[in-house]
Amino acid sequence: MGLSTLKKTILYCGILLHLLPFLPCFSNGFSLPSNFLFGIGSSSYQYEGAYMSDGKGQSNWDNFTHGPGRYVIIDGSNGDIAVDHYHRYLEDIDLMEALKVNSYKLSLSWSRILPKGRFGKVNRAGINFYNTLIDALLLKGIQPFVVLSHYDSPQELEDRYGGWLSPQSKEDFAFYADLCFRSFGDRVKYWVTFNEPNYLAPLGYRSGIYPPSRCSGSLAMLPCKGGDSEREPFIAAHNIILSHAAAVGIYRSKYQSEQKGMIGIVLQHEWYEPISNSTADKLATERARSFSFNWFLDPVIFGKYPTEMEDVLGSVLPKFSSKEMEKLKKGLDFVGLNYYTAHYIKDCIYSKCKPGVGTSRTEGSYQKSGDKNGVSIGEPTPFSWLNIYPEGMEKAITYVRNRYNNIPMFITENGYPVQEDSNSTMEEQLNDYNRIRCMRNHFEAMLETIRKGADVRGYFAWSLLDNFEWIYGYTIRYGLHHVDHNSLRRTPRLSTTWYKQFIEMHQLEWKYNNNTSKAFEL
Ligand code: BGC
């Protein structure tokens, strides 16, 4: 063996030893494909700030946080500055480069690109911003994974015709999507139409705690100015589904063969387990899945709403025409899953439930609970809605695999929140062991599904930075980097070191598995 080969071998073994604690994933000759996406995520309203700069129009979230939302958002804050990603994106890309991620899930601000939807001019400054951002990412070998709408849309569309409640919204979304594919599609290979429309519809149109803040009756959580909590979530969802189909149609007919990208949708996929073995609770669990997840995915894959929803909702559920049904079928190339937690489900048709989210007839008549007889479904956290249950991710992926014929999947969000605590030291804030454990256990659960044949192609940690956490304002921190919300200084947490090493280990694994003889040429 030559001296340089010896040196290389020692170096290689040294790295492996250093990574020993992570070895369980590096086993049985199994390795992830080299194009697996190790990513990190953000979204426009939560990150960009610059809310009225360079020709940007008002979004629904700008309007909400400056209006009634001020009283809903825990710390009364807004995304006017957020984490100033609009001005600091180069610094943020350097952070991603140091992290070794090969992809970045970001969303475009629709109102930055089309301040008045299709009723006004294209804002060239907006197009330029995203062009520069995309180019800067690619220069560092980071694939942009681009979401067209992560809860935000131009306020103009709300004012003009009632936003998602109007079928006209489809024309606007199609116009916007076409412009984005035309402007950025030569470099963007992963497109998402919507992030979590299955959250947007109930929060914006049932409880009313997200814009456009519409609600009524006992399901209302705010004194909304107008709305119909029993019907409007389904109307908004219907128009969103048709808007998704319109964008996919445009991408497939005009761009996909040349640009060679994929297009999908991202849904929140909370995992549900029946609270007992009773048939009623098992059926309620099926209903809960249908009313919260299959609600969107069945139409865009099978061209129809889930039977459970049709049975319960009857004429409340809008209908697709036969032409629309045909257009909808197989209307995506992949599904993005945002997975955080799991719940037990109890039936509320045959047994009594306390009033709460899910229990009414139009929500599906089920009650969610984080524990069974006082024992939590996963590891409890300070947040009542969050139990860490990595097996739930495994089950959620397997469910999608089985129901939707192993459609390609990405884990588009997974992360761990920490409550803002002014008494904690900086050191405590940076040593985020719980986050590391949470990410690592979920990653393991995901790997298990891949080993068994699920077509999962990427994992995105949420989130690159602490940011504006919707109605929680800046009181909850999800970042792998801590952000001082006064100076906006970014500081890496321990989880960045872990994630970087984890990614490096898999890169070594690729090299090893694809190049065994070279790696060990002794
Ligand atoms: C949303 C993110 C949010 C995260 C943590 C997801 O449902 O897509 O915008 O920050 O959850 O709450």
Side-chain angles (χ1 to χ4, degrees), residues 23 28 57 106 109 166 225 230 259 285 400 413 436 479 494 505:
L23 276 181
N28 303 337
L106 68 147
S109 160
S166 164
K225 279 213 187 101
E230 305 280 347
Q259 298 183 347
T285 308
V400 174
E413 279 184 33
I436 295 176
L494 200 60
M505 183 196 71

Side-chain angles (χ1 to χ4, degrees), residues 46 150-151 195-196 268 338 340 413 462 469-470 478:
Q46 294 177 279
H150 188 126
Y151 301 161
N195 179 77
E196 295 187 350
Q268 172 67 234
N338 291 352
Y340 289 89
E413 279 184 33
W462 182 268
E469 183 48 38
W470 308 114
Y478 272 94

Side-chain angles (χ1 to χ4, degrees), residues 3 34 143 178 193 226 248 271 301 335 401 403 423 451:
L3 193 60
S34 61
Q143 287 286 331
D178 196 350
T193 52
V248 172
W271 181 245
I301 294 183
V335 179
R401 175 188 171 180
R403 188 176 177 96
N423 293 324
R451 281 190 196 110

